[in-house]
Amino acid sequence: MAFEHRDEHIDDGMLLLQANIDDMNPEYCSYVSDLLFAEGANDVYWVPIIMKKGRPGVMLNVLVDEAASGRMEDIIFRETTTLGLRYLRASVHRLGREFYEVETAWGTIHVKAGFHQGKLVQFAPEFKECEQAAKTHGVPLKQVYDEVRRKFLEERVNEG
Amino acid sequence: MAFEHRDEHIDDGMLLLQANIDDMNPEYCSYVSDLLFAEGANDVYWVPIIMKKGRPGVMLNVLVDEAASGRMEDIIFRETTTLGLRYLRASVHRLGREFYEVETAWGTIHVKAGFHQGKLVQFAPEFKECEQAAKTHGVPLKQVYDEVRRKFLEERVNEG
Amino acid sequence: MAFEHRDEHIDDGMLLLQANIDDMNPEYCSYVSDLLFAEGANDVYWVPIIMKKGRPGVMLNVLVDEAASGRMEDIIFRETTTLGLRYLRASVHRLGREFYEVETAWGTIHVKAGFHQGKLVQFAPEFKECEQAAKTHGVPLKQVYDEVRRKFLEERVNEG
Amino acid sequence: MAFEHRDEHIDDGMLLLQANIDDMNPEYCSYVSDLLFAEGANDVYWVPIIMKKGRPGVMLNVLVDEAASGRMEDIIFRETTTLGLRYLRASVHRLGREFYEVETAWGTIHVKAGFHQGKLVQFAPEFKECEQAAKTHGVPLKQVYDEVRRKFLEERVNEG
Amino acid sequence: MAFEHRDEHIDDGMLLLQANIDDMNPEYCSYVSDLLFAEGANDVYWVPIIMKKGRPGVMLNVLVDEAASGRMEDIIFRETTTLGLRYLRASVHRLGREFYEVETAWGTIHVKAGFHQGKLVQFAPEFKECEQAAKTHGVPLKQVYDEVRRKFLEERVNEG
Amino acid sequence: MAFEHRDEHIDDGMLLLQANIDDMNPEYCSYVSDLLFAEGANDVYWVPIIMKKGRPGVMLNVLVDEAASGRMEDIIFRETTTLGLRYLRASVHRLGREFYEVETAWGTIHVKAGFHQGKLVQFAPEFKECEQAAKTHGVPLKQVYDEVRRKFLEERVNEG
């Protein structure tokens, strides 16, 4: 049974914010990521880079809707050590998305499925739910993950 | 003797497709690259990145003519686990290009030369041919490579 | 005021366990790290590497006392996809350690100090406490961190 | 049905050879890896590192039985640009290993399984066979891979 | 006392030049960076990437004003081995900037401060001056750096 | 003409010191490397790693003779932020080494050659001299480098 449907679409008007940082305590990184996600970032990731004088730095990347970029910039300037940031215009193509429920010996786990031109091309068990089931039931995480995938596929095979 | 000439030029209307992937078996990467190159990608490369919750992910990058981007997206959605991808507009400046033949003790090897504003700025032995010569004749690859470069330079010195 | 004293010392009999992984969903990494730390690992870290056929893999590293290495191996085999692991013998030189308390406008924060041959060479505010203070009081994390360092240094200057 | 059995065991007397390289054409890397594997390396991998003057170099790593290390050194000195290499002693813990056959709509695919203390902890479809099936039958590689895993698990569930 | 004031502003019309390089001696990298900075690059950095056939390459990135991009391209084509480069349009948001002087036991050190919407959000001791002071006076670099930060903060606390 | 001869040999009794650092300003890295080299390190390099909570850290590596390791540890503890370090025993195999002189249009440049079992396997122009020649004469660095290699090879071909 699928629910939480979203159509495949393209978001124009996205920005990719980037800041190269070579003088910040790397302990701050996850804290900064969490704040950016909480304020509406679509994605946050860090790229190891080599900067001026061969310094091992990191490049912060934030993908965000143009309308929310001001909030992102405030966080980046307040919480990192950068003196500037750049932004590149981007468009994002998002697959259609539906959620399914799969019953397992360790409870119900959701599966997120992705559709391209009406055809299912992706399916992924919800990681947090698998993690929780693994902890609660003392089974390997990969066993939970594999079992959810197996049952999801089995149901689709049976449905024909 | 040069052949296969191509003029220096700029391609506007290129796209850089990017997909951040943190839930895919990395074994798939070279297979995906090969498919993308086969379908017309100008370049494909992977960047190690750090994603949500500190996961070591990879960012797939595909540089492609806008006209071919649909085919690339189909492959990316079908063969990787991503639920979306972004694209950035790019222009590509390509050097003028000519191919030369160099005679060596291990056979003829081609050299690809690059021209900027009419001046030779790059030359590179064709890697596959050097590799093949090294295997066939049981000599170190770097010796083949160095010899091709030496003879190419020698001919140019002699030509004045 | 210092407490929780530990002398500088060298631990021989440590092992560095390493497993190269190129076929695992990277989502599992933080879960695996947490389990290993919980079972007694001294350190856990991941190194981006390039494996067979140019695959972007990760190398899991676990630093652990030889006595606890069996528990680590059980977790690695149960929770990752590796078919083997290697171990290297290592000695670990640990600084003398003391904890101090620093009073700030946002509450008491601990500072961990490191001593080499009786001399203070390191001091670091407890990250989790700074993070908590930043969240609770709505101030930038780096401001909390800097202020704790400033006050720690100031007290030492005043003590002469 | 399982075959090609190998018991779980520990190989002492392994060496990890390492060479830091900052002046070599990176095109050579895969060629060097292939030669080392062909001559008996147990594993070969490359680590991106930052060397003297901030140069982006690579560290070549070769895991090999001590008896074969001379052959590896010959290849490394002949085919790379390094002026030296170091070796660290290592022990390798290898899981018990068995191969299974799984029937799919695209033919028989082998699965390599790993056993720790007699218990199955790993199973992985043979990558090359999945790749070949995907190419031959024009299906996504991940679909082949997933189906092999599903059927392997299904058989084990049914066997109870 | 602050001087060398610059207002916060956004530079549109910047370009990010990128060239993927897998056949160049990495020794050249710092030389190339220095030339690019000397000719007006706003930033130069290198990203470790995985290219065709799994080769460990580097991506050169140069952030530059569009007006100066021709000079950058000349250097890149003349000094690296690339046969092409791409450029992406970017805007750069630069903080307001002021320089302060801090007196220490090892002489005067400047601090660069960054302002976002009129509010001080960054301050960083001038690295070269700290480095010089550390060398001249035989003190740890981090001690110089920390002391400059401490005194800068202390003055601001006292100023209220 | 060769001079500064050194025989091929193996140094046992080397140590590889390693410190994982996730709370240090990366600006310090090159300063720390320089100090370690100045005090006798055989090699110093940094590896980008992913640490606790997914922080992008760096692993400092110092290869050093056991007799000099105390001096290295003093520098590491004094100049970085680490609270400990580990060391692994290593042996280093160093090629025989000789220096040659090559005459070019830009002056004499030295070439360092490496010998394995009496056979020349490596040769590399002295980087600093090439760099200086390139700057002084306004020619591309790669042209100087290539020309030195070409002339070195030419002389060897002529010598038979």
Side-chain angles (χ1 to χ4, degrees):
Chain A
M1 191 197 72
F3 51 103
E4 278 189 57
H5 178 80
R6 199 191 62 184
D7 279 338
E8 185 171 16
H9 66 287
I10 291 174
D11 283 342
D12 290 315
M14 301 293 290
L15 294 181
L16 186 61
L17 307 184
Q18 299 185 322
N20 294 5
I21 303 179
D22 72 351
D23 65 347
M24 185 180 87
N25 181 336
E27 285 183 316
Y28 299 174
C29 293
S30 61
Y31 182 80
V32 171
S33 294
D34 289 349
L35 285 180
L36 292 164
F37 275 120
E39 285 293 322
N42 285 74
D43 206 358
V44 179
Y45 57 97
W46 303 81
V47 185
I49 63 175
I50 302 179
M51 295 175 66
K52 219 172 176 172
K53 295 172 205 288
R55 291 169 189 152
V58 285
M59 185 193 349
L60 167 60
N61 283 258
V62 183
L63 183 69
V64 69
D65 193 280
E66 191 165 3
S69 69
R71 291 205 308 276
M72 299 298 122
E73 296 192 48
D74 288 350
I75 294 172
I76 294 170
F77 288 131
R78 194 177 69 228
E79 299 288 345
T80 78
T81 59
T82 195
L83 287 160
L85 55 79
R86 61 184 171 273
Y87 41 91
L88 311 171
R89 304 204 158 274
S91 297
V92 178
H93 181 161
R94 300 181 201 284
L95 292 183
R97 204 173 287 196
E98 284 187 358
F99 286 80
Y100 294 82
E101 288 185 343
V102 169
E103 304 303 324
T104 75
W106 316 289
T108 303
I109 309 267
H110 288 87
V111 167
K112 191 189 325 186
F115 292 82
H116 180 45
Q117 298 168 348
K119 194 176 159 194
L120 183 141
V121 288
Q122 315 294 18
F123 69 98
E126 283 292 85
F127 187 76
K128 278 200 162 179
E129 296 176 12
C130 293
E131 196 175 39
Q132 191 53 53
K135 280 182 190 163
T136 306
H137 297 275
V139 284
L141 172 58
K142 69 187 178 198
Q143 187 179 337
V144 175
Y145 205 84
D146 281 341
E147 176 64 3
V148 176
R149 290 177 67 83
R150 185 185 74 80
K151 296 218 47 179
F152 180 83
L153 282 174
E154 192 179 66
E155 282 170 31
R156 294 190 64 85
V157 168
N158 292 341
E159 283 172 11
Chain B
M1 194 196 71
F3 51 102
E4 280 189 55
H5 178 81
R6 199 190 63 187
D7 280 339
E8 186 171 14
H9 66 287
I10 291 174
D11 284 342
D12 289 317
M14 301 293 290
L15 294 182
L16 186 61
L17 308 185
Q18 298 184 322
N20 293 6
I21 303 178
D22 72 352
D23 66 348
M24 185 180 86
N25 180 336
E27 284 183 315
Y28 298 175
C29 294
S30 61
Y31 182 80
V32 172
S33 293
D34 289 350
L35 285 180
L36 291 164
F37 276 119
E39 285 293 321
N42 285 75
D43 206 358
V44 179
Y45 56 97
W46 303 81
V47 185
I49 62 174
I50 302 178
M51 295 174 64
K52 219 172 175 172
K53 294 173 206 289
R55 290 170 191 153
V58 283
M59 186 194 349
L60 167 60
N61 283 257
V62 184
L63 183 69
V64 70
D65 192 280
E66 190 165 3
S69 69
R71 291 205 307 276
M72 299 298 121
E73 296 193 47
D74 288 349
I75 294 171
I76 295 170
F77 288 132
R78 194 178 68 227
E79 300 286 346
T80 78
T81 58
T82 195
L83 287 161
L85 55 79
R86 61 186 171 273
Y87 41 91
L88 311 172
R89 307 206 155 271
S91 298
V92 178
H93 182 161
R94 300 182 202 283
L95 291 184
R97 204 174 286 196
E98 284 187 0
F99 285 81
Y100 295 82
E101 288 185 344
V102 169
E103 304 304 324
T104 75
W106 316 290
T108 304
I109 308 268
H110 289 87
V111 168
K112 193 189 322 184
F115 293 82
H116 181 44
Q117 298 169 349
K119 196 178 159 193
L120 183 142
V121 289
Q122 316 294 17
F123 69 100
E126 283 292 85
F127 187 76
K128 279 199 161 181
E129 297 176 12
C130 293
E131 197 175 37
Q132 191 51 56
K135 280 181 189 163
T136 305
H137 297 275
V139 283
L141 172 58
K142 71 187 177 199
Q143 188 178 338
V144 175
Y145 204 85
D146 281 342
E147 177 64 5
V148 176
R149 291 176 68 84
R150 184 185 75 79
K151 296 219 45 180
F152 179 84
L153 282 175
E154 192 180 65
E155 282 169 30
R156 295 190 63 85
V157 168
N158 293 341
E159 284 172 8
Chain C
M1 192 196 71
F3 51 102
E4 279 191 55
H5 177 80
R6 197 190 64 184
D7 280 338
E8 186 171 14
H9 67 287
I10 291 174
D11 283 342
D12 290 317
M14 301 293 289
L15 294 181
L16 186 61
L17 307 184
Q18 297 185 325
N20 294 6
I21 302 178
D22 72 352
D23 65 348
M24 186 178 86
N25 181 337
E27 283 183 317
Y28 298 175
C29 293
S30 62
Y31 183 80
V32 171
S33 294
D34 289 350
L35 285 179
L36 291 164
F37 275 120
E39 285 294 321
N42 285 75
D43 207 357
V44 179
Y45 57 98
W46 303 81
V47 184
I49 62 176
I50 302 178
M51 295 175 65
K52 222 172 173 170
K53 296 173 205 287
R55 290 169 191 152
V58 284
M59 186 194 350
L60 167 60
N61 283 258
V62 183
L63 182 70
V64 71
D65 192 282
E66 192 166 1
S69 69
R71 290 205 308 275
M72 299 297 122
E73 295 192 48
D74 287 350
I75 293 171
I76 294 170
F77 288 131
R78 195 177 67 227
E79 300 286 347
T80 78
T81 59
T82 194
L83 287 160
L85 55 79
R86 60 185 172 274
Y87 40 90
L88 310 172
R89 306 204 156 272
S91 297
V92 178
H93 182 161
R94 299 182 202 284
L95 291 184
R97 204 172 286 195
E98 285 187 357
F99 285 81
Y100 294 82
E101 286 184 342
V102 169
E103 304 303 326
T104 74
W106 315 289
T108 304
I109 308 268
H110 289 87
V111 168
K112 191 189 321 184
F115 292 81
H116 181 45
Q117 298 170 347
K119 194 176 159 192
L120 183 142
V121 288
Q122 315 296 18
F123 69 97
E126 283 292 84
F127 187 76
K128 278 200 162 180
E129 297 176 12
C130 293
E131 197 175 39
Q132 191 52 55
K135 280 182 190 163
T136 306
H137 297 275
V139 284
L141 172 58
K142 70 188 178 196
Q143 186 179 339
V144 175
Y145 204 85
D146 281 341
E147 176 65 4
V148 176
R149 291 177 67 85
R150 185 185 76 79
K151 296 217 49 177
F152 180 83
L153 283 175
E154 189 179 69
E155 282 170 29
R156 294 191 62 86
V157 167
N158 293 340
E159 283 172 10
Chain D
M1 192 197 69
F3 51 103
E4 279 190 56
H5 177 80
R6 199 189 64 185
D7 279 340
E8 185 171 17
H9 66 287
I10 291 174
D11 284 342
D12 289 317
M14 300 294 289
L15 293 182
L16 186 60
L17 308 184
Q18 297 184 323
N20 294 6
I21 302 179
D22 71 351
D23 65 348
M24 187 180 84
N25 181 335
E27 284 183 316
Y28 299 175
C29 293
S30 62
Y31 182 80
V32 171
S33 294
D34 289 349
L35 285 179
L36 291 163
F37 275 120
E39 286 292 322
N42 285 75
D43 206 357
V44 179
Y45 56 97
W46 303 82
V47 185
I49 62 176
I50 301 178
M51 295 175 65
K52 221 172 174 171
K53 294 172 207 291
R55 291 170 191 153
V58 284
M59 186 193 348
L60 168 60
N61 283 258
V62 184
L63 183 70
V64 70
D65 192 281
E66 191 165 5
S69 68
R71 290 206 309 276
M72 299 298 122
E73 296 193 47
D74 287 350
I75 294 171
I76 295 170
F77 288 132
R78 195 177 68 229
E79 300 287 347
T80 78
T81 59
T82 195
L83 287 160
L85 55 78
R86 60 185 174 273
Y87 40 91
L88 311 172
R89 306 204 157 274
S91 298
V92 177
H93 182 161
R94 299 181 202 286
L95 291 184
R97 205 173 286 195
E98 284 187 358
F99 285 80
Y100 294 82
E101 286 184 344
V102 169
E103 304 304 324
T104 74
W106 316 289
T108 304
I109 308 266
H110 289 88
V111 168
K112 192 188 324 185
F115 292 82
H116 181 46
Q117 298 170 347
K119 193 176 161 194
L120 183 142
V121 288
Q122 315 295 18
F123 69 98
E126 283 293 84
F127 187 75
K128 278 200 162 180
E129 297 176 12
C130 293
E131 196 174 39
Q132 191 52 55
K135 280 181 191 164
T136 305
H137 296 274
V139 284
L141 172 58
K142 70 187 178 199
Q143 187 179 339
V144 175
Y145 204 85
D146 280 342
E147 176 64 4
V148 176
R149 291 177 68 84
R150 185 185 75 80
K151 296 218 46 179
F152 179 84
L153 282 174
E154 191 180 67
E155 283 170 29
R156 294 191 63 86
V157 168
N158 292 340
E159 282 172 10
Chain E
M1 193 197 70
F3 51 102
E4 280 190 54
H5 177 81
R6 199 190 63 185
D7 279 340
E8 185 171 15
H9 66 287
I10 290 174
D11 283 342
D12 289 317
M14 300 292 291
L15 294 181
L16 186 60
L17 308 185
Q18 298 185 323
N20 293 7
I21 302 178
D22 71 351
D23 65 348
M24 187 181 84
N25 180 336
E27 283 184 317
Y28 299 174
C29 294
S30 62
Y31 182 80
V32 172
S33 293
D34 289 350
L35 285 180
L36 292 164
F37 276 121
E39 286 294 322
N42 285 75
D43 206 357
V44 179
Y45 56 97
W46 304 81
V47 184
I49 62 176
I50 302 179
M51 295 174 65
K52 221 173 174 171
K53 295 172 205 287
R55 291 169 190 153
V58 284
M59 186 194 348
L60 167 60
N61 283 258
V62 183
L63 183 69
V64 70
D65 192 282
E66 191 165 2
S69 68
R71 290 205 310 275
M72 299 298 121
E73 295 193 48
D74 288 349
I75 294 171
I76 294 170
F77 287 132
R78 194 177 70 228
E79 300 286 347
T80 78
T81 58
T82 194
L83 287 160
L85 56 78
R86 60 185 172 273
Y87 41 90
L88 312 172
R89 305 204 158 273
S91 297
V92 178
H93 181 161
R94 300 181 202 284
L95 292 183
R97 203 174 287 197
E98 284 187 357
F99 286 81
Y100 294 82
E101 288 185 343
V102 168
E103 305 303 323
T104 74
W106 316 290
T108 304
I109 308 269
H110 290 87
V111 168
K112 192 189 322 186
F115 293 81
H116 181 46
Q117 299 168 348
K119 193 176 162 195
L120 184 142
V121 287
Q122 316 295 17
F123 69 98
E126 282 293 85
F127 187 76
K128 279 199 159 180
E129 297 176 12
C130 293
E131 195 175 39
Q132 191 52 55
K135 280 182 190 164
T136 305
H137 296 275
V139 285
L141 172 58
K142 70 187 178 199
Q143 188 179 337
V144 175
Y145 204 87
D146 281 341
E147 175 65 4
V148 175
R149 291 177 67 85
R150 185 185 74 80
K151 296 218 45 179
F152 179 84
L153 283 174
E154 191 178 67
E155 283 170 28
R156 294 191 63 86
V157 169
N158 293 340
E159 283 172 9
Chain F
M1 194 196 69
F3 51 102
E4 281 191 54
H5 177 81
R6 199 190 63 185
D7 279 340
E8 185 172 14
H9 66 285
I10 290 174
D11 284 342
D12 289 318
M14 301 293 290
L15 294 181
L16 186 60
L17 308 184
Q18 297 184 324
N20 294 7
I21 303 178
D22 72 351
D23 65 347
M24 185 179 85
N25 180 337
E27 284 184 317
Y28 298 175
C29 293
S30 62
Y31 182 80
V32 171
S33 293
D34 289 349
L35 285 179
L36 292 164
F37 276 120
E39 286 293 322
N42 286 74
D43 207 357
V44 180
Y45 56 98
W46 303 81
V47 185
I49 62 175
I50 302 178
M51 295 176 65
K52 219 173 175 169
K53 294 174 206 288
R55 290 168 190 155
V58 284
M59 185 192 351
L60 168 60
N61 283 257
V62 183
L63 183 69
V64 71
D65 193 281
E66 190 165 4
S69 68
R71 290 205 308 276
M72 298 299 121
E73 295 192 47
D74 287 351
I75 294 171
I76 295 170
F77 288 132
R78 194 177 70 228
E79 300 287 346
T80 78
T81 58
T82 194
L83 287 160
L85 56 79
R86 59 186 173 273
Y87 39 93
L88 310 172
R89 305 206 157 272
S91 297
V92 177
H93 181 161
R94 299 182 202 284
L95 292 184
R97 202 173 287 195
E98 284 187 359
F99 286 81
Y100 294 83
E101 287 184 343
V102 169
E103 304 302 325
T104 74
W106 315 290
T108 304
I109 308 268
H110 288 87
V111 168
K112 193 188 320 186
F115 293 82
H116 182 44
Q117 298 169 349
K119 194 176 159 194
L120 183 142
V121 288
Q122 315 295 17
F123 69 98
E126 283 291 86
F127 187 76
K128 278 200 162 180
E129 297 176 12
C130 293
E131 195 175 39
Q132 191 53 54
K135 279 181 190 162
T136 305
H137 296 275
V139 284
L141 172 59
K142 69 187 178 198
Q143 187 179 337
V144 175
Y145 204 86
D146 280 342
E147 176 65 3
V148 176
R149 290 177 68 85
R150 185 185 75 81
K151 296 219 47 179
F152 179 83
L153 283 174
E154 191 179 66
E155 283 171 27
R156 295 192 62 85
V157 168
N158 292 340
E159 282 172 9

PDB file of all heavy atoms in Angstrom, chain E residues 13-27:
ATOM      1  N   GLY E  13      28.986  38.067 -11.554  1.00  0.00           N
ATOM      2  CA  GLY E  13      29.949  38.048 -12.642  1.00  0.00           C
ATOM      3  C   GLY E  13      31.271  37.401 -12.281  1.00  0.00           C
ATOM      4  O   GLY E  13      32.313  37.754 -12.820  1.00  0.00           O
ATOM      5  N   MET E  14      31.229  36.462 -11.346  1.00  0.00           N
ATOM      6  CA  MET E  14      32.418  35.662 -11.070  1.00  0.00           C
ATOM      7  C   MET E  14      32.301  34.350 -11.861  1.00  0.00           C
ATOM      8  O   MET E  14      31.218  33.886 -12.201  1.00  0.00           O
ATOM      9  CB  MET E  14      32.513  35.320  -9.587  1.00  0.00           C
ATOM     10  CG  MET E  14      32.585  36.514  -8.661  1.00  0.00           C
ATOM     11  SD  MET E  14      34.133  37.466  -8.799  1.00  0.00           S
ATOM     12  CE  MET E  14      35.317  36.304  -8.106  1.00  0.00           C
ATOM     13  N   LEU E  15      33.432  33.744 -12.133  1.00  0.00           N
ATOM     14  CA  LEU E  15      33.449  32.435 -12.787  1.00  0.00           C
ATOM     15  C   LEU E  15      34.188  31.444 -11.907  1.00  0.00           C
ATOM     16  O   LEU E  15      35.163  31.793 -11.238  1.00  0.00           O
ATOM     17  CB  LEU E  15      34.151  32.501 -14.145  1.00  0.00           C
ATOM     18  CG  LEU E  15      33.496  33.330 -15.243  1.00  0.00           C
ATOM     19  CD1 LEU E  15      34.334  33.241 -16.524  1.00  0.00           C
ATOM     20  CD2 LEU E  15      32.070  32.858 -15.522  1.00  0.00           C
ATOM     21  N   LEU E  16      33.712  30.207 -11.932  1.00  0.00           N
ATOM     22  CA  LEU E  16      34.440  29.114 -11.297  1.00  0.00           C
ATOM     23  C   LEU E  16      34.985  28.247 -12.435  1.00  0.00           C
ATOM     24  O   LEU E  16      34.214  27.594 -13.141  1.00  0.00           O
ATOM     25  CB  LEU E  16      33.492  28.304 -10.397  1.00  0.00           C
ATOM     26  CG  LEU E  16      34.123  27.218  -9.541  1.00  0.00           C
ATOM     27  CD1 LEU E  16      35.164  27.780  -8.573  1.00  0.00           C
ATOM     28  CD2 LEU E  16      33.050  26.481  -8.739  1.00  0.00           C
ATOM     29  N   LEU E  17      36.287  28.314 -12.648  1.00  0.00           N
ATOM     30  CA  LEU E  17      36.925  27.493 -13.686  1.00  0.00           C
ATOM     31  C   LEU E  17      37.285  26.140 -13.085  1.00  0.00           C
ATOM     32  O   LEU E  17      37.792  26.082 -11.961  1.00  0.00           O
ATOM     33  CB  LEU E  17      38.201  28.165 -14.194  1.00  0.00           C
ATOM     34  CG  LEU E  17      38.128  29.609 -14.661  1.00  0.00           C
ATOM     35  CD1 LEU E  17      39.477  30.048 -15.231  1.00  0.00           C
ATOM     36  CD2 LEU E  17      37.052  29.782 -15.721  1.00  0.00           C
ATOM     37  N   GLN E  18      37.051  25.077 -13.837  1.00  0.00           N
ATOM     38  CA  GLN E  18      37.354  23.730 -13.343  1.00  0.00           C
ATOM     39  C   GLN E  18      38.047  22.916 -14.423  1.00  0.00           C
ATOM     40  O   GLN E  18      37.611  22.905 -15.577  1.00  0.00           O
ATOM     41  CB  GLN E  18      36.075  23.003 -12.933  1.00  0.00           C
ATOM     42  CG  GLN E  18      35.326  23.683 -11.788  1.00  0.00           C
ATOM     43  CD  GLN E  18      34.119  22.899 -11.312  1.00  0.00           C
ATOM     44  OE1 GLN E  18      33.417  22.289 -12.116  1.00  0.00           O
ATOM     45  NE2 GLN E  18      33.882  22.901 -10.014  1.00  0.00           N
ATOM     46  N   ALA E  19      39.107  22.227 -14.040  1.00  0.00           N
ATOM     47  CA  ALA E  19      39.784  21.318 -14.971  1.00  0.00           C
ATOM     48  C   ALA E  19      40.111  20.019 -14.241  1.00  0.00           C
ATOM     49  O   ALA E  19      40.729  20.043 -13.180  1.00  0.00           O
ATOM     50  CB  ALA E  19      41.065  21.953 -15.507  1.00  0.00           C
ATOM     51  N   ASN E  20      39.671  18.895 -14.799  1.00  0.00           N
ATOM     52  CA  ASN E  20      39.959  17.569 -14.235  1.00  0.00           C
ATOM     53  C   ASN E  20      41.272  17.066 -14.822  1.00  0.00           C
ATOM     54  O   ASN E  20      41.423  17.033 -16.045  1.00  0.00           O
ATOM     55  CB  ASN E  20      38.868  16.574 -14.633  1.00  0.00           C
ATOM     56  CG  ASN E  20      37.535  16.897 -14.009  1.00  0.00           C
ATOM     57  OD1 ASN E  20      37.394  17.936 -13.377  1.00  0.00           O
ATOM     58  ND2 ASN E  20      36.570  16.000 -14.172  1.00  0.00           N
ATOM     59  N   ILE E  21      42.187  16.676 -13.968  1.00  0.00           N
ATOM     60  CA  ILE E  21      43.524  16.331 -14.440  1.00  0.00           C
ATOM     61  C   ILE E  21      43.933  14.970 -13.911  1.00  0.00           C
ATOM     62  O   ILE E  21      43.958  14.746 -12.699  1.00  0.00           O
ATOM     63  CB  ILE E  21      44.524  17.411 -13.978  1.00  0.00           C
ATOM     64  CG1 ILE E  21      44.085  18.783 -14.499  1.00  0.00           C
ATOM     65  CG2 ILE E  21      45.929  17.087 -14.450  1.00  0.00           C
ATOM     66  CD1 ILE E  21      44.967  19.925 -14.076  1.00  0.00           C
ATOM     67  N   ASP E  22      44.227  14.043 -14.829  1.00  0.00           N
ATOM     68  CA  ASP E  22      44.629  12.708 -14.385  1.00  0.00           C
ATOM     69  C   ASP E  22      45.960  12.271 -14.994  1.00  0.00           C
ATOM     70  O   ASP E  22      46.340  11.117 -14.869  1.00  0.00           O
ATOM     71  CB  ASP E  22      43.555  11.664 -14.710  1.00  0.00           C
ATOM     72  CG  ASP E  22      43.464  11.364 -16.195  1.00  0.00           C
ATOM     73  OD1 ASP E  22      44.098  12.055 -17.003  1.00  0.00           O
ATOM     74  OD2 ASP E  22      42.737  10.423 -16.553  1.00  0.00           O
ATOM     75  N   ASP E  23      46.664  13.180 -15.644  1.00  0.00           N
ATOM     76  CA  ASP E  23      47.934  12.763 -16.252  1.00  0.00           C
ATOM     77  C   ASP E  23      49.044  13.775 -15.982  1.00  0.00           C
ATOM     78  O   ASP E  23      49.964  13.919 -16.778  1.00  0.00           O
ATOM     79  CB  ASP E  23      47.762  12.544 -17.756  1.00  0.00           C
ATOM     80  CG  ASP E  23      47.430  13.829 -18.499  1.00  0.00           C
ATOM     81  OD1 ASP E  23      47.108  14.831 -17.851  1.00  0.00           O
ATOM     82  OD2 ASP E  23      47.498  13.826 -19.742  1.00  0.00           O
ATOM     83  N   MET E  24      48.955  14.452 -14.825  1.00  0.00           N
ATOM     84  CA  MET E  24      49.964  15.458 -14.503  1.00  0.00           C
ATOM     85  C   MET E  24      50.704  15.065 -13.235  1.00  0.00           C
ATOM     86  O   MET E  24      50.112  14.571 -12.284  1.00  0.00           O
ATOM     87  CB  MET E  24      49.287  16.820 -14.299  1.00  0.00           C
ATOM     88  CG  MET E  24      50.268  17.965 -14.114  1.00  0.00           C
ATOM     89  SD  MET E  24      49.438  19.568 -13.859  1.00  0.00           S
ATOM     90  CE  MET E  24      49.100  19.520 -12.084  1.00  0.00           C
ATOM     91  N   ASN E  25      51.982  15.284 -13.244  1.00  0.00           N
ATOM     92  CA  ASN E  25      52.820  15.164 -12.061  1.00  0.00           C
ATOM     93  C   ASN E  25      52.262  16.089 -10.964  1.00  0.00           C
ATOM     94  O   ASN E  25      52.243  17.309 -11.146  1.00  0.00           O
ATOM     95  CB  ASN E  25      54.224  15.602 -12.486  1.00  0.00           C
ATOM     96  CG  ASN E  25      55.224  15.529 -11.377  1.00  0.00           C
ATOM     97  OD1 ASN E  25      54.873  15.573 -10.202  1.00  0.00           O
ATOM     98  ND2 ASN E  25      56.482  15.432 -11.757  1.00  0.00           N
ATOM     99  N   PRO E  26      51.800  15.541  -9.838  1.00  0.00           N
ATOM    100  CA  PRO E  26      51.204  16.403  -8.803  1.00  0.00           C
ATOM    101  C   PRO E  26      52.179  17.411  -8.188  1.00  0.00           C
ATOM    102  O   PRO E  26      51.757  18.353  -7.544  1.00  0.00           O
ATOM    103  CB  PRO E  26      50.736  15.407  -7.733  1.00  0.00           C
ATOM    104  CG  PRO E  26      50.628  14.085  -8.433  1.00  0.00           C
ATOM    105  CD  PRO E  26      51.669  14.102  -9.516  1.00  0.00           C
ATOM    106  N   GLU E  27      53.471  17.227  -8.421  1.00  0.00           N
ATOM    107  CA  GLU E  27      54.439  18.222  -7.937  1.00  0.00           C
ATOM    108  C   GLU E  27      54.129  19.614  -8.470  1.00  0.00           C
ATOM    109  O   GLU E  27      54.472  20.621  -7.843  1.00  0.00           O
ATOM    110  CB  GLU E  27      55.858  17.849  -8.395  1.00  0.00           C
ATOM    111  CG  GLU E  27      56.516  16.735  -7.608  1.00  0.00           C
ATOM    112  CD  GLU E  27      57.949  16.501  -8.081  1.00  0.00           C
ATOM    113  OE1 GLU E  27      58.195  16.486  -9.309  1.00  0.00           O
ATOM    114  OE2 GLU E  27      58.806  16.306  -7.227  1.00  0.00           O
TER     115      GLU E  27
END
